[in-house]
């Protein structure tokens, strides 16, 4: 890493740290928090992982309970447009045509163990790759739900997209692409999943980390006929808060070298508010939500052994501070009236896949399987 790059990252980190501190300090006192300490200490997205690049440390291996993984023969045949995915565990890599984006979109799908009709959409972070969804590489989603009666739906691609319909096409490396992710996930993909995997269009949960967490909340708020439960891990729940109008576009540009304002327009434009979970809290009060944020204090998954890893950890601290501050603000707004949300604030944990893997395990048993009635039996 050059000295120029180091200086640039350090300066960016200081700017983000100041913003994070302002958000956390400025957040009102936590009202009715359900802070927990059980289990482990615990994106925008920090650089460094081998997968999506949203955090430096991948999740530990997960061992599901023993049992027949394909008891009714629903998992061992390929659907149209699909091939077997190298991550195994019955995951298929499917090419799904999107008229709105005028191209095929890859989706990793793990069929439900007993052929159940429930689905769980898992959204990636800001640095989402074009070859796999990081929930299958940096985390262990396909192992966590291996014995459960729910179909995992893991869209591939969509870096910096916030899984939203953009105002204008995005220029990625000289390629001008339509970014209509909300349309794809809510109008185009459900029909394919229903026809080929038996997933009902009105019986889904949705979860995401960082950028994907914010997007999961907004997709659930806008499409209540599709999603019955939502999980948000280290999300950014108030993108119109002071400082976020700067931080989000900077993070997007750092990743894509594209025009971040092609998404929702200039800061202050109406679409920023339309995609802010805090400003749409009334639409989320009657849906079960499982929401987490770490303390921004390094924990068990944070043991940097190189200069690059130190920078990644530093960035992860900053990003989790931003997430925690916006999550507290969102909870205060949500708790103004009755709701069905559970908040889990861990005593340690930065912006990293080890913590998000643990979050998914916790959300699975606390809400996802009970709400979706997707237990193995």
């Amino acid at each position: 890493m050059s000295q120029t790059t180091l200086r640039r990252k350090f300066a960016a980190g200081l700017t983000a740290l100041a913003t994070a501190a302002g958000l956390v300090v400025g957040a009102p006192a936590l009202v009715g928090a359900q802070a927990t300490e059980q289990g482990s200490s615990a994106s925008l997205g920090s650089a460094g992982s081998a997968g999506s690049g949203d955090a430096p440390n991948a999740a530990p291996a997960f061992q599901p309970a023993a049992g027949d993984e394909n008891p009714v023969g629903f998992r061992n045949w390929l659907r149209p447009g699909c091939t077997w995915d190298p991550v195994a565990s019955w995951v298929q890599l499917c090419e799904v045509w999107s008229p709105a984006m005028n191209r095929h979109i890859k989706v990793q799908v793990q069929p439900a163990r007993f052929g159940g009709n429930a689905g769980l959409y898992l959204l990636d972070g800001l640095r989402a790759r074009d070859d796999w969804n990081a929930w299958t590489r940096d985390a262990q989603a396909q192992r966590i739900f291996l014995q459960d009666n729910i179909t995992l739906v893991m869209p591939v691609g969509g870096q910096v997209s916030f899984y939203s319909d953009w105002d204008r096409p995005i220029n990625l490396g000289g390629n001008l692409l339509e970014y209509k992710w909300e349309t794809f996930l809510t109008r185009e993909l459900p029909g394919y999943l229903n026809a080929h995997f038996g997933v009902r269009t009105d019986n889904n949960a949705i979860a995401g980390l960082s950028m994907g967490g914010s997007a999961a909340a907004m997709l659930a708020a806008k499409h209540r006929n599709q999603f019955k439960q939502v999980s948000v891990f280290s999300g950014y729940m108030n993108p119109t808060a002071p400082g976020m109008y700067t931080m989000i576009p900077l993070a997007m540009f750092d990743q894509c070298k594209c025009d971040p304002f092609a998404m929702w327009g200039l800061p202050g434009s109406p679409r920023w508010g339309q995609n802010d979970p805090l400003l749409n809290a009334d639409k989320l009060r009657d849906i079960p939500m499982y929401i987490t944020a770490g303390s921004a204090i390094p924990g068990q998954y944070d043991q940097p052994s190189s200069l690059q890893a130190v920078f990644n950890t530093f960035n992860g601290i900053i990003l989790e501070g931003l997430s925690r501050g916006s999550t507290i603000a969102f909870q205060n707004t949500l708790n103004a009236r009755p709701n069905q949300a559970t908040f889990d604030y861990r005593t340690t944990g930065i912006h990293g896949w080890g913590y998000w893997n643990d979050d998914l395990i916790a959300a699975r048993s606390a809400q996802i399987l009970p709400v979706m009635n997707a237990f193995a039996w």
Side-chain angles (χ1 to χ4, degrees), residues 2 28 41 100 118 139 156 166 190 204 227 235 241 261 303 333 355 369:
S2 69
S41 56
V156 177
W166 282 39
N204 298 276
F227 299 110
F261 304 120
Q303 300 174 358
T333 298
Y355 305 110
L369 295 185

Side-chain angles (χ1 to χ4, degrees), residues 252-270:
M252 292 171 66
F253 182 78
D254 181 65
Q255 168 61 20
C256 67
K257 303 300 184 288
C258 61
D259 176 12
F261 304 120
M263 182 169 67
W264 300 329
L266 295 174
S269 299

